[in-house]
Amino acid sequence: MPPFLKEGDRIALVSPAYWVPQDVLAQAAETIKSWGLQPVIGPHTNNLNVNVYAGTAEERSADILWALEDDSIKACLCSRGGYGSIHLLNRIPKESYLQHPKWLIGHGDISVLLNTVSNAGLMCIHGPMSYQIASSQEPSATILRDMLFGKLPQYRVTGNAHNRFGHTEGVLVGGNLTSFATIVGTQYQLPPNQDIILFIEEVEESLHNIDRLFYRLMLQLDFERVKGVILGTFSSIKFDLQFGSVEQMLIAHLHDFDIPVCCGFPVGSDSCIPLMMGAPCSLDVTSNEALLSFNVDGEQQLYELSEGNHSLFK
């Protein structure tokens, strides 16, 4: 686990994938300053490449390496996802993450990098990025701030009709389904020799493509190591198969696996409630609720999540 932050520490704002305007990064920097931290913006973040990426692959990877190798920087906050993180995998040695352990934060396409970090043996955060923090999205930004300072969330979610009950433990991996599926079967996919809890979410995909990608996970992952599944939000989905929900389709695929499954966990592209990836965690699913806990040192804070409207309260 990277060290938690303290007041005055520096956070790098980097853009491994799509470009965002500099005024967005400036707004995110102001939020970070309000947390008592010092933001520093990556030198290549304004280098628009082919009208979509935040610079060439070499420039984007250079910003990550710059942030990793500067020991005064204690965390790396990604600007946004989109696409492009996969270009960086063979440009950033996995050892770099361990030689300079610090928190990497992002979601969506950044799931590629998060799982690479987890594969290297380091924890990271699936959570809001500069793009969300700039707009003062609550409560995800507040929870992220607390996590960085060592106050860890426990999440309690109301029950879902598709849930499968039970208790399990494992290292949390996954993220955006399309992004995670691109590295399945490669050297970057999983922490070695550990049981895992698989978390997935998706946005703007067809039901048949979600089906295809999930089957790929089942075929190419060492699925015997999967001890539990968390299905996050699936938003703006094209229903081109006759299922009532994504959960209904996926839970059927898991029928032969005697593992707990939490459906309707309100985390995804439209609700960036932070999760500690690569961390040992516990999942308890009953008929009434599901509880996700991170089994690491730190002060614990319980949050109640509402599946329907993503509201949250302590």
Side-chain angles (χ1 to χ4, degrees):
M1 185 170 64
F4 292 123
L5 276 58
K6 61 184 185 299
E7 189 170 348
D9 279 345
R10 303 172 83 210
I11 295 185
L13 278 62
V14 294
S15 300
Y18 278 5
W19 175 86
V20 299
Q22 289 293 291
D23 64 326
V24 171
L25 295 184
Q27 292 172 48
E30 288 303 312
T31 299
I32 290 169
K33 287 179 185 177
S34 74
W35 297 351
L37 301 170
Q38 299 182 45
V40 286
I41 297 176
H44 296 105
T45 53
N46 203 33
N47 292 6
L48 183 62
N49 176 247
V50 297
N51 205 38
V52 64
Y53 300 125
T56 64
E58 289 76 15
E59 290 170 336
R60 286 177 280 135
S61 58
D63 276 10
I64 296 284
L65 287 168
W66 156 76
L68 288 175
E69 292 170 0
D70 185 338
D71 289 333
S72 73
I73 293 174
K74 304 302 180 183
C76 304
L77 177 67
C78 297
S79 300
R80 65 162 296 179
Y83 177 71
S85 298
I86 197 168
H87 301 156
L88 312 189
L89 296 191
N90 61 355
R91 292 177 166 87
I92 304 172
K94 283 194 290 185
E95 309 82 65
S96 297
Y97 298 112
L98 287 176
Q99 290 169 354
H100 307 274
K102 57 195 68 179
W103 296 102
L104 179 69
I105 307 152
H107 68 273
D109 182 68
I110 307 301
S111 298
V112 170
L113 295 177
L114 298 180
N115 284 280
T116 300
V117 170
S118 298
N119 173 261
L122 197 67
M123 300 178 199
C124 51
I125 297 175
H126 180 284
M129 298 183 282
S130 297
Y131 204 80
Q132 288 84 27
I133 289 173
S135 61
S136 300
Q137 177 173 324
E138 291 290 349
S140 59
T142 300
I143 302 176
L144 174 62
R145 178 201 64 196
D146 290 348
M147 285 182 73
L148 290 172
F149 283 102
K151 183 181 290 185
L152 306 178
Q154 283 184 314
Y155 294 124
R156 179 181 289 148
V157 188
T158 53
N160 184 289
H162 297 295
N163 280 354
R164 293 181 56 185
F165 310 145
H167 167 85
T168 193
E169 297 182 3
V171 173
L172 189 63
V173 301
N176 176 261
L177 176 59
T178 299
S179 301
F180 184 50
T182 62
I183 60 171
V184 169
T186 73
Q187 60 178 311
Y188 304 102
Q189 64 176 359
L190 293 176
N193 306 318
Q194 292 174 295
D195 292 340
I196 63 172
I197 294 176
L198 175 65
F199 162 71
I200 59 169
E201 56 84 19
E202 192 51 87
V203 60
E204 296 180 352
E205 270 294 350
S206 66
L207 208 59
H208 86 267
N209 201 41
I210 292 174
D211 183 82
R212 176 191 295 119
L213 293 170
F214 194 76
Y215 252 92
R216 182 179 180 187
L217 296 187
M218 295 176 66
L219 291 169
Q220 290 195 271
L221 279 179
D222 182 3
F223 221 82
E224 292 300 316
R225 292 169 57 191
V226 178
K227 303 303 180 183
V229 174
I230 299 173
L231 300 180
T233 61
F234 296 88
S235 54
S236 302
I237 301 301
K238 179 183 177 182
F239 278 78
D240 54 355
L241 297 174
Q242 294 302 307
F243 287 96
S245 66
V246 176
E247 291 85 0
Q248 182 187 29
M249 178 179 71
L250 296 185
I251 201 74
H253 297 337
L254 293 166
H255 182 268
D256 293 334
F257 297 90
D258 186 20
I259 56 176
V261 181
C262 172
C263 298
F265 197 88
V267 175
S269 63
D270 56 351
S271 178
C272 306
I273 304 301
L275 302 173
M276 189 176 289
M277 308 298 284
C281 59
S282 301
L283 176 66
D284 291 277
V285 184
T286 69
S287 58
N288 297 321
E289 64 185 26
L291 182 68
L292 177 65
S293 305
F294 302 99
N295 301 330
V296 297
D297 292 335
E299 181 185 348
Q300 300 287 324
Q301 172 69 63
L302 178 64
Y303 292 90
E304 306 273 357
L305 301 183
S306 171
E307 177 187 346
N309 58 15
H310 306 148
S311 66
L312 180 149
F313 57 91
K314 293 183 181 180

mmCIF file with all atom_site columns, all heavy atoms in Angstrom, residues 192-209:
data_model
loop_
_atom_site.group_PDB
_atom_site.id
_atom_site.type_symbol
_atom_site.label_atom_id
_atom_site.label_alt_id
_atom_site.label_comp_id
_atom_site.label_asym_id
_atom_site.label_entity_id
_atom_site.label_seq_id
_atom_site.pdbx_PDB_ins_code
_atom_site.Cartn_x
_atom_site.Cartn_y
_atom_site.Cartn_z
_atom_site.occupancy
_atom_site.B_iso_or_equiv
_atom_site.pdbx_formal_charge
_atom_site.auth_seq_id
_atom_site.auth_comp_id
_atom_site.auth_asym_id
_atom_site.auth_atom_id
_atom_site.pdbx_PDB_model_num
ATOM 1   N N   . PRO A 1 192 ? -0.409  -11.855 -8.992  1.00 0.00 ? 192 PRO A N   1
ATOM 2   C CA  . PRO A 1 192 ? -0.070  -13.278 -9.040  1.00 0.00 ? 192 PRO A CA  1
ATOM 3   C C   . PRO A 1 192 ? -0.476  -14.031 -7.778  1.00 0.00 ? 192 PRO A C   1
ATOM 4   O O   . PRO A 1 192 ? -0.385  -13.505 -6.662  1.00 0.00 ? 192 PRO A O   1
ATOM 5   C CB  . PRO A 1 192 ? 1.457   -13.267 -9.198  1.00 0.00 ? 192 PRO A CB  1
ATOM 6   C CG  . PRO A 1 192 ? 1.895   -11.958 -8.635  1.00 0.00 ? 192 PRO A CG  1
ATOM 7   C CD  . PRO A 1 192 ? 0.782   -10.989 -8.913  1.00 0.00 ? 192 PRO A CD  1
ATOM 8   N N   . ASN A 1 193 ? -0.995  -15.251 -7.981  1.00 0.00 ? 193 ASN A N   1
ATOM 9   C CA  . ASN A 1 193 ? -1.184  -16.232 -6.896  1.00 0.00 ? 193 ASN A CA  1
ATOM 10  C C   . ASN A 1 193 ? -2.088  -15.753 -5.770  1.00 0.00 ? 193 ASN A C   1
ATOM 11  O O   . ASN A 1 193 ? -1.864  -16.083 -4.607  1.00 0.00 ? 193 ASN A O   1
ATOM 12  C CB  . ASN A 1 193 ? 0.180   -16.644 -6.318  1.00 0.00 ? 193 ASN A CB  1
ATOM 13  C CG  . ASN A 1 193 ? 1.128   -17.135 -7.388  1.00 0.00 ? 193 ASN A CG  1
ATOM 14  O OD1 . ASN A 1 193 ? 0.733   -17.885 -8.285  1.00 0.00 ? 193 ASN A OD1 1
ATOM 15  N ND2 . ASN A 1 193 ? 2.370   -16.693 -7.327  1.00 0.00 ? 193 ASN A ND2 1
ATOM 16  N N   . GLN A 1 194 ? -3.119  -14.985 -6.093  1.00 0.00 ? 194 GLN A N   1
ATOM 17  C CA  . GLN A 1 194 ? -4.033  -14.519 -5.059  1.00 0.00 ? 194 GLN A CA  1
ATOM 18  C C   . GLN A 1 194 ? -5.479  -14.719 -5.518  1.00 0.00 ? 194 GLN A C   1
ATOM 19  O O   . GLN A 1 194 ? -5.790  -14.598 -6.705  1.00 0.00 ? 194 GLN A O   1
ATOM 20  C CB  . GLN A 1 194 ? -3.798  -13.032 -4.761  1.00 0.00 ? 194 GLN A CB  1
ATOM 21  C CG  . GLN A 1 194 ? -2.463  -12.731 -4.094  1.00 0.00 ? 194 GLN A CG  1
ATOM 22  C CD  . GLN A 1 194 ? -2.227  -11.235 -3.957  1.00 0.00 ? 194 GLN A CD  1
ATOM 23  O OE1 . GLN A 1 194 ? -2.102  -10.521 -4.940  1.00 0.00 ? 194 GLN A OE1 1
ATOM 24  N NE2 . GLN A 1 194 ? -2.174  -10.765 -2.718  1.00 0.00 ? 194 GLN A NE2 1
ATOM 25  N N   . ASP A 1 195 ? -6.352  -15.029 -4.555  1.00 0.00 ? 195 ASP A N   1
ATOM 26  C CA  . ASP A 1 195 ? -7.780  -15.035 -4.850  1.00 0.00 ? 195 ASP A CA  1
ATOM 27  C C   . ASP A 1 195 ? -8.220  -13.613 -5.168  1.00 0.00 ? 195 ASP A C   1
ATOM 28  O O   . ASP A 1 195 ? -7.679  -12.644 -4.622  1.00 0.00 ? 195 ASP A O   1
ATOM 29  C CB  . ASP A 1 195 ? -8.570  -15.566 -3.654  1.00 0.00 ? 195 ASP A CB  1
ATOM 30  C CG  . ASP A 1 195 ? -8.321  -17.040 -3.396  1.00 0.00 ? 195 ASP A CG  1
ATOM 31  O OD1 . ASP A 1 195 ? -7.868  -17.745 -4.324  1.00 0.00 ? 195 ASP A OD1 1
ATOM 32  O OD2 . ASP A 1 195 ? -8.578  -17.488 -2.257  1.00 0.00 ? 195 ASP A OD2 1
ATOM 33  N N   . ILE A 1 196 ? -9.212  -13.474 -6.034  1.00 0.00 ? 196 ILE A N   1
ATOM 34  C CA  . ILE A 1 196 ? -9.632  -12.142 -6.448  1.00 0.00 ? 196 ILE A CA  1
ATOM 35  C C   . ILE A 1 196 ? -11.153 -11.979 -6.334  1.00 0.00 ? 196 ILE A C   1
ATOM 36  O O   . ILE A 1 196 ? -11.906 -12.955 -6.371  1.00 0.00 ? 196 ILE A O   1
ATOM 37  C CB  . ILE A 1 196 ? -9.197  -11.813 -7.882  1.00 0.00 ? 196 ILE A CB  1
ATOM 38  C CG1 . ILE A 1 196 ? -9.850  -12.767 -8.893  1.00 0.00 ? 196 ILE A CG1 1
ATOM 39  C CG2 . ILE A 1 196 ? -7.678  -11.835 -8.015  1.00 0.00 ? 196 ILE A CG2 1
ATOM 40  C CD1 . ILE A 1 196 ? -9.605  -12.384 -10.340 1.00 0.00 ? 196 ILE A CD1 1
ATOM 41  N N   . ILE A 1 197 ? -11.567 -10.750 -6.154  1.00 0.00 ? 197 ILE A N   1
ATOM 42  C CA  . ILE A 1 197 ? -12.962 -10.343 -6.313  1.00 0.00 ? 197 ILE A CA  1
ATOM 43  C C   . ILE A 1 197 ? -13.006 -9.456  -7.550  1.00 0.00 ? 197 ILE A C   1
ATOM 44  O O   . ILE A 1 197 ? -12.262 -8.473  -7.644  1.00 0.00 ? 197 ILE A O   1
ATOM 45  C CB  . ILE A 1 197 ? -13.486 -9.611  -5.071  1.00 0.00 ? 197 ILE A CB  1
ATOM 46  C CG1 . ILE A 1 197 ? -13.527 -10.574 -3.875  1.00 0.00 ? 197 ILE A CG1 1
ATOM 47  C CG2 . ILE A 1 197 ? -14.871 -9.020  -5.333  1.00 0.00 ? 197 ILE A CG2 1
ATOM 48  C CD1 . ILE A 1 197 ? -13.939 -9.921  -2.567  1.00 0.00 ? 197 ILE A CD1 1
ATOM 49  N N   . LEU A 1 198 ? -13.841 -9.809  -8.497  1.00 0.00 ? 198 LEU A N   1
ATOM 50  C CA  . LEU A 1 198 ? -13.891 -9.126  -9.792  1.00 0.00 ? 198 LEU A CA  1
ATOM 51  C C   . LEU A 1 198 ? -14.981 -8.056  -9.781  1.00 0.00 ? 198 LEU A C   1
ATOM 52  O O   . LEU A 1 198 ? -16.148 -8.351  -9.513  1.00 0.00 ? 198 LEU A O   1
ATOM 53  C CB  . LEU A 1 198 ? -14.166 -10.142 -10.902 1.00 0.00 ? 198 LEU A CB  1
ATOM 54  C CG  . LEU A 1 198 ? -14.374 -9.593  -12.312 1.00 0.00 ? 198 LEU A CG  1
ATOM 55  C CD1 . LEU A 1 198 ? -13.101 -8.928  -12.828 1.00 0.00 ? 198 LEU A CD1 1
ATOM 56  C CD2 . LEU A 1 198 ? -14.827 -10.717 -13.256 1.00 0.00 ? 198 LEU A CD2 1
ATOM 57  N N   . PHE A 1 199 ? -14.592 -6.818  -10.077 1.00 0.00 ? 199 PHE A N   1
ATOM 58  C CA  . PHE A 1 199 ? -15.536 -5.714  -10.208 1.00 0.00 ? 199 PHE A CA  1
ATOM 59  C C   . PHE A 1 199 ? -15.579 -5.278  -11.671 1.00 0.00 ? 199 PHE A C   1
ATOM 60  O O   . PHE A 1 199 ? -14.522 -5.079  -12.294 1.00 0.00 ? 199 PHE A O   1
ATOM 61  C CB  . PHE A 1 199 ? -15.110 -4.537  -9.331  1.00 0.00 ? 199 PHE A CB  1
ATOM 62  C CG  . PHE A 1 199 ? -15.762 -3.229  -9.716  1.00 0.00 ? 199 PHE A CG  1
ATOM 63  C CD1 . PHE A 1 199 ? -17.111 -3.008  -9.487  1.00 0.00 ? 199 PHE A CD1 1
ATOM 64  C CD2 . PHE A 1 199 ? -15.017 -2.233  -10.330 1.00 0.00 ? 199 PHE A CD2 1
ATOM 65  C CE1 . PHE A 1 199 ? -17.716 -1.814  -9.848  1.00 0.00 ? 199 PHE A CE1 1
ATOM 66  C CE2 . PHE A 1 199 ? -15.616 -1.028  -10.700 1.00 0.00 ? 199 PHE A CE2 1
ATOM 67  C CZ  . PHE A 1 199 ? -16.968 -0.814  -10.460 1.00 0.00 ? 199 PHE A CZ  1
ATOM 68  N N   . ILE A 1 200 ? -16.780 -5.111  -12.240 1.00 0.00 ? 200 ILE A N   1
ATOM 69  C CA  . ILE A 1 200 ? -16.889 -4.599  -13.603 1.00 0.00 ? 200 ILE A CA  1
ATOM 70  C C   . ILE A 1 200 ? -18.042 -3.603  -13.699 1.00 0.00 ? 200 ILE A C   1
ATOM 71  O O   . ILE A 1 200 ? -19.026 -3.681  -12.956 1.00 0.00 ? 200 ILE A O   1
ATOM 72  C CB  . ILE A 1 200 ? -17.080 -5.716  -14.658 1.00 0.00 ? 200 ILE A CB  1
ATOM 73  C CG1 . ILE A 1 200 ? -18.339 -6.526  -14.384 1.00 0.00 ? 200 ILE A CG1 1
ATOM 74  C CG2 . ILE A 1 200 ? -15.853 -6.600  -14.749 1.00 0.00 ? 200 ILE A CG2 1
ATOM 75  C CD1 . ILE A 1 200 ? -18.710 -7.460  -15.525 1.00 0.00 ? 200 ILE A CD1 1
ATOM 76  N N   . GLU A 1 201 ? -17.890 -2.653  -14.621 1.00 0.00 ? 201 GLU A N   1
ATOM 77  C CA  . GLU A 1 201 ? -18.932 -1.688  -14.961 1.00 0.00 ? 201 GLU A CA  1
ATOM 78  C C   . GLU A 1 201 ? -18.776 -1.381  -16.447 1.00 0.00 ? 201 GLU A C   1
ATOM 79  O O   . GLU A 1 201 ? -17.756 -1.699  -17.058 1.00 0.00 ? 201 GLU A O   1
ATOM 80  C CB  . GLU A 1 201 ? -18.799 -0.415  -14.117 1.00 0.00 ? 201 GLU A CB  1
ATOM 81  C CG  . GLU A 1 201 ? -17.445 0.291   -14.201 1.00 0.00 ? 201 GLU A CG  1
ATOM 82  C CD  . GLU A 1 201 ? -17.315 1.233   -15.394 1.00 0.00 ? 201 GLU A CD  1
ATOM 83  O OE1 . GLU A 1 201 ? -18.346 1.632   -15.968 1.00 0.00 ? 201 GLU A OE1 1
ATOM 84  O OE2 . GLU A 1 201 ? -16.172 1.566   -15.758 1.00 0.00 ? 201 GLU A OE2 1
ATOM 85  N N   . GLU A 1 202 ? -19.806 -0.750  -17.026 1.00 0.00 ? 202 GLU A N   1
ATOM 86  C CA  . GLU A 1 202 ? -19.718 -0.418  -18.451 1.00 0.00 ? 202 GLU A CA  1
ATOM 87  C C   . GLU A 1 202 ? -20.676 0.718   -18.788 1.00 0.00 ? 202 GLU A C   1
ATOM 88  O O   . GLU A 1 202 ? -21.672 0.953   -18.074 1.00 0.00 ? 202 GLU A O   1
ATOM 89  C CB  . GLU A 1 202 ? -20.021 -1.660  -19.314 1.00 0.00 ? 202 GLU A CB  1
ATOM 90  C CG  . GLU A 1 202 ? -19.686 -1.509  -20.788 1.00 0.00 ? 202 GLU A CG  1
ATOM 91  C CD  . GLU A 1 202 ? -18.282 -1.015  -21.021 1.00 0.00 ? 202 GLU A CD  1
ATOM 92  O OE1 . GLU A 1 202 ? -17.343 -1.831  -21.086 1.00 0.00 ? 202 GLU A OE1 1
ATOM 93  O OE2 . GLU A 1 202 ? -18.124 0.223   -21.147 1.00 0.00 ? 202 GLU A OE2 1
ATOM 94  N N   . VAL A 1 203 ? -20.391 1.426   -19.871 1.00 0.00 ? 203 VAL A N   1
ATOM 95  C CA  . VAL A 1 203 ? -21.217 2.536   -20.324 1.00 0.00 ? 203 VAL A CA  1
ATOM 96  C C   . VAL A 1 203 ? -21.234 2.541   -21.849 1.00 0.00 ? 203 VAL A C   1
ATOM 97  O O   . VAL A 1 203 ? -20.230 2.226   -22.494 1.00 0.00 ? 203 VAL A O   1
ATOM 98  C CB  . VAL A 1 203 ? -20.677 3.889   -19.772 1.00 0.00 ? 203 VAL A CB  1
ATOM 99  C CG1 . VAL A 1 203 ? -19.246 4.142   -20.237 1.00 0.00 ? 203 VAL A CG1 1
ATOM 100 C CG2 . VAL A 1 203 ? -21.581 5.043   -20.165 1.00 0.00 ? 203 VAL A CG2 1
ATOM 101 N N   . GLU A 1 204 ? -22.382 2.839   -22.413 1.00 0.00 ? 204 GLU A N   1
ATOM 102 C CA  . GLU A 1 204 ? -22.543 3.020   -23.863 1.00 0.00 ? 204 GLU A CA  1
ATOM 103 C C   . GLU A 1 204 ? -22.053 1.812   -24.662 1.00 0.00 ? 204 GLU A C   1
ATOM 104 O O   . GLU A 1 204 ? -21.336 1.947   -25.656 1.00 0.00 ? 204 GLU A O   1
ATOM 105 C CB  . GLU A 1 204 ? -21.831 4.298   -24.322 1.00 0.00 ? 204 GLU A CB  1
ATOM 106 C CG  . GLU A 1 204 ? -22.424 5.561   -23.718 1.00 0.00 ? 204 GLU A CG  1
ATOM 107 C CD  . GLU A 1 204 ? -21.713 6.826   -24.165 1.00 0.00 ? 204 GLU A CD  1
ATOM 108 O OE1 . GLU A 1 204 ? -20.659 6.734   -24.826 1.00 0.00 ? 204 GLU A OE1 1
ATOM 109 O OE2 . GLU A 1 204 ? -22.211 7.920   -23.842 1.00 0.00 ? 204 GLU A OE2 1
ATOM 110 N N   . GLU A 1 205 ? -22.454 0.639   -24.230 1.00 0.00 ? 205 GLU A N   1
ATOM 111 C CA  . GLU A 1 205 ? -22.136 -0.597  -24.952 1.00 0.00 ? 205 GLU A CA  1
ATOM 112 C C   . GLU A 1 205 ? -23.426 -1.335  -25.244 1.00 0.00 ? 205 GLU A C   1
ATOM 113 O O   . GLU A 1 205 ? -24.449 -1.137  -24.593 1.00 0.00 ? 205 GLU A O   1
ATOM 114 C CB  . GLU A 1 205 ? -21.198 -1.493  -24.152 1.00 0.00 ? 205 GLU A CB  1
ATOM 115 C CG  . GLU A 1 205 ? -19.726 -1.257  -24.378 1.00 0.00 ? 205 GLU A CG  1
ATOM 116 C CD  . GLU A 1 205 ? -19.267 -1.601  -25.795 1.00 0.00 ? 205 GLU A CD  1
ATOM 117 O OE1 . GLU A 1 205 ? -20.055 -2.208  -26.561 1.00 0.00 ? 205 GLU A OE1 1
ATOM 118 O OE2 . GLU A 1 205 ? -18.133 -1.249  -26.130 1.00 0.00 ? 205 GLU A OE2 1
ATOM 119 N N   . SER A 1 206 ? -23.375 -2.232  -26.233 1.00 0.00 ? 206 SER A N   1
ATOM 120 C CA  . SER A 1 206 ? -24.529 -3.081  -26.520 1.00 0.00 ? 206 SER A CA  1
ATOM 121 C C   . SER A 1 206 ? -24.519 -4.279  -25.580 1.00 0.00 ? 206 SER A C   1
ATOM 122 O O   . SER A 1 206 ? -23.462 -4.701  -25.077 1.00 0.00 ? 206 SER A O   1
ATOM 123 C CB  . SER A 1 206 ? -24.492 -3.562  -27.967 1.00 0.00 ? 206 SER A CB  1
ATOM 124 O OG  . SER A 1 206 ? -23.391 -4.426  -28.171 1.00 0.00 ? 206 SER A OG  1
ATOM 125 N N   . LEU A 1 207 ? -25.694 -4.840  -25.361 1.00 0.00 ? 207 LEU A N   1
ATOM 126 C CA  . LEU A 1 207 ? -25.798 -5.999  -24.488 1.00 0.00 ? 207 LEU A CA  1
ATOM 127 C C   . LEU A 1 207 ? -25.012 -7.182  -25.055 1.00 0.00 ? 207 LEU A C   1
ATOM 128 O O   . LEU A 1 207 ? -24.355 -7.902  -24.301 1.00 0.00 ? 207 LEU A O   1
ATOM 129 C CB  . LEU A 1 207 ? -27.276 -6.376  -24.320 1.00 0.00 ? 207 LEU A CB  1
ATOM 130 C CG  . LEU A 1 207 ? -27.665 -7.072  -23.013 1.00 0.00 ? 207 LEU A CG  1
ATOM 131 C CD1 . LEU A 1 207 ? -27.329 -6.195  -21.824 1.00 0.00 ? 207 LEU A CD1 1
ATOM 132 C CD2 . LEU A 1 207 ? -29.141 -7.413  -23.012 1.00 0.00 ? 207 LEU A CD2 1
ATOM 133 N N   . HIS A 1 208 ? -25.045 -7.366  -26.373 1.00 0.00 ? 208 HIS A N   1
ATOM 134 C CA  . HIS A 1 208 ? -24.332 -8.522  -26.938 1.00 0.00 ? 208 HIS A CA  1
ATOM 135 C C   . HIS A 1 208 ? -22.824 -8.356  -26.804 1.00 0.00 ? 208 HIS A C   1
ATOM 136 O O   . HIS A 1 208 ? -22.098 -9.346  -26.633 1.00 0.00 ? 208 HIS A O   1
ATOM 137 C CB  . HIS A 1 208 ? -24.734 -8.749  -28.407 1.00 0.00 ? 208 HIS A CB  1
ATOM 138 C CG  . HIS A 1 208 ? -23.961 -7.956  -29.402 1.00 0.00 ? 208 HIS A CG  1
ATOM 139 N ND1 . HIS A 1 208 ? -24.376 -6.730  -29.869 1.00 0.00 ? 208 HIS A ND1 1
ATOM 140 C CD2 . HIS A 1 208 ? -22.787 -8.231  -30.033 1.00 0.00 ? 208 HIS A CD2 1
ATOM 141 C CE1 . HIS A 1 208 ? -23.490 -6.270  -30.745 1.00 0.00 ? 208 HIS A CE1 1
ATOM 142 N NE2 . HIS A 1 208 ? -22.524 -7.157  -30.858 1.00 0.00 ? 208 HIS A NE2 1
ATOM 143 N N   . ASN A 1 209 ? -22.322 -7.105  -26.836 1.00 0.00 ? 209 ASN A N   1
ATOM 144 C CA  . ASN A 1 209 ? -20.881 -6.938  -26.669 1.00 0.00 ? 209 ASN A CA  1
ATOM 145 C C   . ASN A 1 209 ? -20.461 -7.124  -25.218 1.00 0.00 ? 209 ASN A C   1
ATOM 146 O O   . ASN A 1 209 ? -19.380 -7.664  -24.936 1.00 0.00 ? 209 ASN A O   1
ATOM 147 C CB  . ASN A 1 209 ? -20.433 -5.567  -27.174 1.00 0.00 ? 209 ASN A CB  1
ATOM 148 C CG  . ASN A 1 209 ? -18.947 -5.543  -27.506 1.00 0.00 ? 209 ASN A CG  1
ATOM 149 O OD1 . ASN A 1 209 ? -18.420 -6.504  -28.081 1.00 0.00 ? 209 ASN A OD1 1
ATOM 150 N ND2 . ASN A 1 209 ? -18.269 -4.480  -27.146 1.00 0.00 ? 209 ASN A ND2 1
#
